[in-house]
Amino acid sequence: MSAASLSLQERLARELPGGHRFGLYHISTPPTKCAPIFNPGPGTLPQRTYQESHFLSVTIPTNSSDDGTELCIFALEVIVYTTKQLTTVFVSKADSTGYVADLKLARNHPSVLRTIATTFVSYIIERRQRKDKKLVLSLFARAQSQYLFPGSVENPGKHVADDRQLIKWWCRVLDPILGKYSREGVDVNGTNGDGQESEHTTAQAYLIVPGEDGIAQFLPPDVRLDPELRKRWTAGHPLRDIAPSPTVPPRCMIPSFPDDPKSRFVDELDDELRDTPGMQPGQSPTKRGSGMWRSIKSLEQFWETMAFRQECSSGRMVGFLWMVFTPGDLNDDHELLDSQEAGGRALSPTPIGTREGQDLVQRRSKESRRGKKLTGPIIPRVPRIKSNSLSLSNMSQPEESPYYYWPSDSRGQIVLDDKDYKRAVEILLRLDFANHSLAVSSTCRWLEEVAVLGGMTSWGQKLTGQRKAPEVAPAGNSSGTTNLLSAGLVRKKPKVR
Amino acid sequence: MDIDQPQPTVFYEELSELEHEFDVADLEIIRKQWELNAPLYAKREALISKIPNFWALVFEQSPPEFDQFIQPSDSELFADCLRSLAVDRFELADSPRSISVKFTFAPNQWFDDEVLEKKFWFRRARDGWTGLVSEPVKIHWKKGKDLTKGLTDAAAQVFERERNLLGSSNGAGDAPREPSADYVTLAKKLESNEDGIGSFFTFFGFVSEKQYVSAEESAAANRAEDDRRKARKEEGKGEEEPEEDLEDTRQDVEICPHGGDIAALLAEDIWANAVKYFTSAQEMDDEELSDMEFEEGDWDVSDEEIDIRALVKGKRKEKNGTPESGPPSKTQKR
């Protein structure tokens, strides 16, 4: 059985430390229409965009007894945005509780949290790759004490990585994924790809840390030392390659994501557009003129200036990471596709900008609501809580459309609509992981409430790790790596006596 | 305007007295409104009692400030067995701000109670604080089904013990006493979980946002307040206001810190505007359906234009082996 066809559960079992038991809790949404992540080019329509959210939470059994209670150790959220041309996999949140330390793994064991992150992200990338479309993975690494597990910062077992450590951590998470694909511009034969799709697909990683000159310092040591591996990491960004069209102004090449450190900058620059002579207040930036910012004329300038923004200066640092996956048969007519399908979309008589597009969607739904007044006999509907999971699993939404790909083999065990999905994440954000017993009851509480949302009595998948601990630290790993090997985000401080 | 002319002096006391008059008027408005609406609410009750899921759908559609107190497991319970919700102003003549909320349930898997009724008295404390206070309602949870994980039971127990103690001394001027073991346990349980998620049913254990005030204490405080006002009016100067007791004596055992707000929201918004919320819940249903029906051709006319372009290139694309990226066929729908 090739690794490509394995389920998430099987993949994680292969990679996680031998003999240790884990629980997997995976929820997701159907692809749901959302506001476009790219600003539309001048005179073009916003791209129809769908988003599919995934949330994975991993637990370990509590060490006290075998009563079935569990403890969350790590969770991450990945959002898949799709348009007719592009798949964007955005890692929006990742956080640990610090209780992975309870496993008391040997120091030379590969990090559990990093393994989970690598496996899950790589799984989503493979399962959401469309044959004729580019896929880009995007994330920003910046340290926060607690993203998902409130109170976890109070757990002495959790060591909050600083910005620099976190950027390095993500590079280490993503680097193993590159190994499954051939490098851009290299003959596909003679690579170590293990899945059929991967063999034809090339992958390239990009990193920008505004205000830092090189990227080598952030890369894993083995990559730094090996020129071949090093080529797979580009200091820079792929925004031109993934843009809806190569000819649009910079503001239309920079996607924006939830909680995006560069969005505030983009918004401020957009204000320049609104001041352009001839613009009406409230008018869309794309409606008139070229859509060019006045102060920032190129992507390069954008990133240079980003270094001076509050988010990236005065001691703070953000790593912007991308990985671009290009299917083999896309390369030939790639440019043609760009110019005809995307660039050539400038058709609409009433062009609208991103926000305006969003408003439009909202306005329309409101209109339809107001449009018909309810009349006649009342047939009350079933409350949502009773109809959730069931109706979604056999709902009429097709597995694929020109705008998304949603295979049934790689959805969450519980599929929730967007509203209930947000509720599930929201519940986690209101729990408390400050100490062991609170974390156990909070884990239990979250699992119970999400089960109710999904209309299930119990859920989750159990697995036992199969990976043997390395006998000795692998040769070639210099001393610089060992301090990050065993714990990833959760780094044990050497004990002082 | 002549700036040399002395300005007539206005006293804070005058503003305060005016505020009091507004307050009296407000109470009268509540009374009148209640009297006028009561027969209509009775009529409404007769109608909505024949609509299954009415209250579950109302709660589902409630605004975020109320919805935030309802967890999925609470929603499940309401959807399963909540039969009716009734609000009353049971002290309309003396204290129209006092309210009671009565939930009626069908036999269910969670608890034995058919009716859970909670009363909120609008009272004045010795120190001048006014607000809604209540007494814990015991819920007879079935084994292993307590959505509050023992909190409502603990709250009832702690309250009972406090009241007994209060009965033995005469209330005023209590000497500081050792907190009971129940109290300490409950306080500890709640300590680090203040803003955690609690079941909606902790609402039934609510006592007060600040302190418990007995009917006697409230009556005495109201009399004292009236006397002070009279004194101010007649003699032009008043006794000193009571000093507010800043110590939140009960706060570390209050299992539902927002209970008063929830009661007010229930009475003044959710219950009062139930028909509006129900209708909007029904409209949501329609909207979702229509959204699905028109999935294929929606949003923009120009999408059709794009599809025409895609058709032109369609043949060549198929050669590349990507038939699956074509438009979804109806047969794929299950």
Side-chain angles (χ1 to χ4, degrees):
Chain A
M1 206 186 216
S2 80
S5 58
L6 291 179
S7 70
L8 179 62
Q9 189 184 8
E10 290 162 327
R11 287 172 185 226
L12 279 167
R14 277 190 176 190
E15 299 297 331
L16 287 168
H20 290 281
R21 289 179 299 150
F22 297 89
L24 288 190
Y25 296 87
H26 180 192
I27 59 177
S28 72
T29 68
T32 309
K33 229 181 282 170
C34 67
I37 56 173
F38 287 100
N39 285 316
T44 28
L45 281 171
Q47 291 179 295
R48 191 194 287 197
T49 308
Y50 284 78
Q51 82 173 78
E52 178 195 358
S53 307
H54 287 265
F55 192 88
L56 177 74
S57 168
V58 179
T59 65
I60 54 172
T62 53
N63 48 12
S64 53
S65 64
D66 225 17
D67 57 358
T69 54
E70 294 168 81
L71 185 53
C72 263
I73 54 167
F74 188 60
L76 74 166
E77 182 183 58
V78 174
I79 305 173
V80 183
Y81 295 96
T82 51
T83 65
K84 222 167 182 175
Q85 289 93 33
L86 181 71
T87 305
T88 305
V89 174
F90 172 63
V91 182
S92 61
K93 295 182 185 103
D95 196 10
S96 71
T97 58
Y99 298 107
V100 69
D102 286 9
L103 291 177
K104 299 194 170 59
L105 290 174
R107 289 210 133 205
N108 59 351
H109 223 298
S111 153
V112 167
L113 307 185
R114 219 173 54 219
T115 302
I116 296 167
T118 303
T119 310
F120 188 58
V121 170
S122 138
Y123 174 76
I124 296 289
I125 289 170
E126 281 173 37
R127 294 298 162 98
R128 290 296 176 272
Q129 177 84 58
R130 292 180 286 178
K131 280 212 178 73
D132 53 350
K133 291 167 176 75
K134 277 194 179 186
L135 182 148
V136 60
L137 171 91
S138 182
L139 67 87
F140 12 92
R142 65 178 156 169
Q144 276 184 24
S145 52
Q146 46 193 37
Y147 268 106
L148 286 169
F149 298 110
S152 60
V153 67
E154 291 170 41
N155 172 15
K158 173 170 177 165
H159 276 274
V160 181
D162 66 24
D163 293 320
R164 186 177 297 270
Q165 286 169 329
L166 202 69
I167 298 169
K168 286 181 177 179
W169 191 83
W170 277 109
C171 289
R172 290 182 68 98
V173 165
L174 299 183
D175 187 67
I177 300 175
L178 287 173
K180 297 185 180 176
Y181 297 85
S182 18
R183 187 158 65 81
E184 268 177 20
V186 169
D187 193 355
V188 286
N189 305 316
T191 60
N192 58 350
D194 47 11
Q196 247 204 328
E197 280 170 71
S198 325
E199 270 175 46
H200 299 290
T201 305
T202 58
Q204 182 68 28
Y206 298 82
L207 171 62
I208 284 188
V209 184
E212 296 287 308
D213 284 337
I215 62 164
Q217 53 167 320
F218 300 103
L219 302 179
D222 51 328
V223 176
R224 230 180 295 161
L225 296 172
D226 184 332
E228 276 306 304
L229 294 177
R230 179 66 186 78
K231 279 184 198 155
R232 310 201 58 159
W233 285 87
T234 304
H237 63 83
L239 294 182
R240 231 169 244 111
D241 293 337
I242 60 169
S245 153
T247 53
V248 293
R251 74 179 287 272
C252 308
M253 290 190 177
I254 302 168
S256 75
F257 299 107
D259 207 17
D260 191 334
K262 64 188 184 310
S263 286
R264 222 156 51 93
F265 189 24
V266 171
D267 286 349
E268 280 177 33
L269 289 168
D270 275 354
D271 286 343
E272 296 179 357
L273 290 174
R274 292 179 195 278
D275 300 338
T276 307
M279 284 275 297
Q280 304 293 322
Q283 197 177 16
S284 160
T286 48
K287 213 158 185 172
R288 283 274 192 97
S290 61
M292 285 296 283
W293 291 320
R294 273 186 289 174
S295 56
I296 302 289
K297 297 288 187 197
S298 70
L299 288 172
E300 284 62 39
Q301 213 187 338
F302 177 84
W303 289 110
E304 277 163 27
T305 317
M306 192 70 208
F308 300 101
R309 302 281 304 176
Q310 181 196 322
E311 293 84 350
C312 302
S313 59
S314 40
R316 293 306 307 259
M317 192 187 275
V318 184
F320 294 87
L321 281 128
W322 297 266
M323 284 169 88
V324 179
F325 300 86
T326 313
D329 46 3
L330 182 75
N331 287 334
D332 316 322
D333 55 343
H334 167 199
E335 301 215 342
L336 197 70
L337 274 173
D338 266 356
S339 57
Q340 289 201 348
E341 206 166 276
R345 282 183 77 174
L347 305 160
S348 168
T350 51
I352 37 182
T354 313
R355 298 232 163 59
E356 292 77 5
Q358 205 174 350
D359 292 347
L360 187 74
V361 176
Q362 279 162 5
R363 201 165 58 233
R364 291 215 175 157
S365 67
K366 267 187 201 144
E367 273 166 12
S368 73
R369 211 185 297 175
R370 237 182 280 126
K372 39 185 155 145
K373 196 165 165 56
L374 296 175
T375 52
I378 295 169
I379 303 150
R381 65 176 171 86
V382 178
R384 290 162 56 87
I385 196 81
K386 307 289 255 177
S387 59
N388 283 340
S389 197
L390 255 164
S391 65
L392 273 173
S393 57
N394 44 25
M395 72 188 295
S396 56
Q397 186 157 348
E399 288 202 0
E400 47 185 307
S401 88
Y403 302 98
Y404 64 78
Y405 178 47
W406 189 44
S408 54
D409 69 350
S410 46
R411 300 175 188 171
Q413 187 192 4
I414 290 180
V415 178
L416 298 171
D417 68 19
D418 208 45
K419 192 178 171 195
D420 285 329
Y421 173 88
K422 289 202 175 93
R423 203 168 168 193
V425 176
E426 176 74 11
I427 290 170
L428 189 66
L429 295 176
R430 283 162 59 187
L431 290 165
D432 193 343
F433 292 83
N435 63 46
H436 200 275
S437 69
L438 277 174
V440 171
S441 61
S442 290
T443 301
C444 174
R445 189 72 202 240
W446 189 73
L447 297 180
E448 278 174 12
E449 293 295 349
V450 177
V452 171
L453 278 178
M456 300 173 121
T457 45
S458 69
W459 66 299
Q461 296 161 303
K462 297 282 182 295
L463 66 89
T464 304
Q466 293 160 11
R467 190 183 182 128
K468 289 201 178 74
E471 303 270 312
V472 282
N477 262 357
S478 61
S479 60
T481 67
T482 46
N483 63 345
L484 272 162
L485 254 181
S486 58
L489 281 176
V490 188
R491 194 153 60 93
K492 269 250 150 66
K493 267 187 195 156
K495 277 207 176 105
V496 184
R497 286 182 192 232
Chain B
M1 196 181 186
D2 186 359
I3 39 167
D4 292 333
Q5 200 180 333
Q7 294 285 317
T9 312
V10 179
F11 293 90
Y12 283 111
E13 286 72 14
E14 292 176 273
L15 293 181
S16 159
E17 181 53 29
L18 185 65
E19 286 289 272
H20 172 70
E21 285 166 31
F22 270 116
D23 195 50
V24 171
D26 197 34
L27 292 181
E28 197 48 33
I29 290 169
I30 297 177
R31 276 188 208 102
K32 273 278 170 296
Q33 189 178 25
W34 187 259
E35 280 161 15
L36 287 172
N37 281 338
L40 301 179
Y41 280 126
K43 214 173 184 175
R44 185 184 78 171
E45 180 53 33
L47 283 175
I48 64 180
S49 63
K50 293 177 210 143
I51 303 175
N53 298 331
F54 181 87
W55 289 105
L57 290 169
V58 168
F59 282 179
E60 193 181 297
Q61 206 55 34
S62 64
E65 57 266 35
F66 185 75
D67 187 52
Q68 63 173 321
F69 299 112
I70 301 177
Q71 306 311 326
S73 48
D74 300 322
S75 301
E76 189 187 26
L77 191 158
F78 290 140
D80 249 26
C81 59
L82 178 60
R83 272 193 175 147
S84 74
L85 175 69
V87 169
D88 196 9
R89 297 202 181 259
F90 61 97
E91 295 182 315
L92 195 63
D94 303 326
S95 179
R97 289 203 178 95
S98 295
I99 44 182
S100 72
V101 283
K102 185 164 125 186
F103 293 73
T104 311
F105 298 92
N108 63 70
Q109 53 164 312
W110 289 276
F111 45 69
D112 297 328
D113 310 82
E114 199 185 310
V115 174
L116 293 175
E117 182 173 16
K118 193 160 175 69
K119 289 187 164 178
F120 294 84
W121 292 271
F122 187 81
R123 286 180 180 162
R124 180 184 298 275
R126 261 192 304 280
D127 67 1
W129 175 86
T130 56
L132 290 174
V133 301
S134 185
E135 293 174 6
V137 172
K138 171 99 178 139
I139 302 175
H140 299 86
W141 295 103
K142 291 182 176 163
K143 198 164 183 286
K145 291 290 184 180
D146 184 349
L147 294 181
T148 69
K149 313 283 178 202
L151 287 182
T152 40
D153 284 352
Q157 210 171 349
V158 166
F159 182 76
E160 206 50 43
R161 201 179 297 272
E162 279 182 344
R163 189 151 62 174
N164 291 341
L165 279 171
L166 220 66
S168 61
S169 70
N170 62 3
D174 279 346
R177 50 172 197 268
E178 283 292 299
S180 67
D182 299 339
Y183 186 103
V184 174
T185 316
L186 181 56
K188 217 168 170 186
K189 207 167 177 179
L190 293 170
E191 186 185 36
S192 42
N193 212 8
E194 265 174 70
D195 297 304
I197 63 156
S199 161
F200 176 80
F201 285 83
T202 58
F203 171 70
F204 291 98
F206 171 79
V207 173
S208 166
E209 270 160 30
K210 196 156 184 287
Q211 57 200 320
Y212 179 70
V213 182
S214 68
E216 296 75 32
E217 180 182 337
S218 182
N222 277 326
R223 272 194 306 276
E225 176 70 15
D226 283 348
D227 293 346
R228 269 194 299 277
R229 197 175 303 108
K230 262 182 216 142
R232 265 204 303 271
K233 247 184 173 170
E234 288 162 10
E235 297 150 33
K237 66 174 201 152
E239 295 171 50
E240 253 177 56
E241 294 280 324
E243 205 159 296
E244 193 158 339
D245 189 357
L246 291 173
E247 215 176 308
D248 292 346
T249 45
R250 288 202 85 265
Q251 277 326 280
D252 37 1
V253 287
E254 179 49 64
I255 66 168
C256 186
H258 301 288
D261 299 338
I262 297 176
L265 272 170
L266 257 177
E268 284 154 26
D269 185 12
I270 311 301
W271 181 78
N273 301 315
V275 168
K276 184 187 93 183
Y277 288 123
F278 172 76
T279 312
S280 114
Q282 291 289 95
E283 281 167 342
M284 282 293 277
D285 185 40
D286 275 14
E287 190 197 334
E288 272 162 29
L289 275 179
S290 60
D291 199 26
M292 269 179 216
E293 277 165 11
F294 298 116
E295 191 75 65
E296 260 74 329
D298 64 345
W299 214 4
D300 281 302
V301 199
S302 49
D303 265 297
E304 279 160 30
E305 296 173 63
I306 291 162
D307 282 339
I308 293 166
R309 293 179 146 242
L311 277 178
V312 180
K313 312 197 307 152
K315 291 235 161 68
R316 209 177 60 84
K317 261 177 115 183
E318 259 172 37
K319 270 182 208 154
N320 282 344
T322 57
E324 71 268 46
S325 62
S329 66
K330 294 280 178 204
T331 48
Q332 273 177 307
K333 288 193 169 184
R334 267 160 288 160

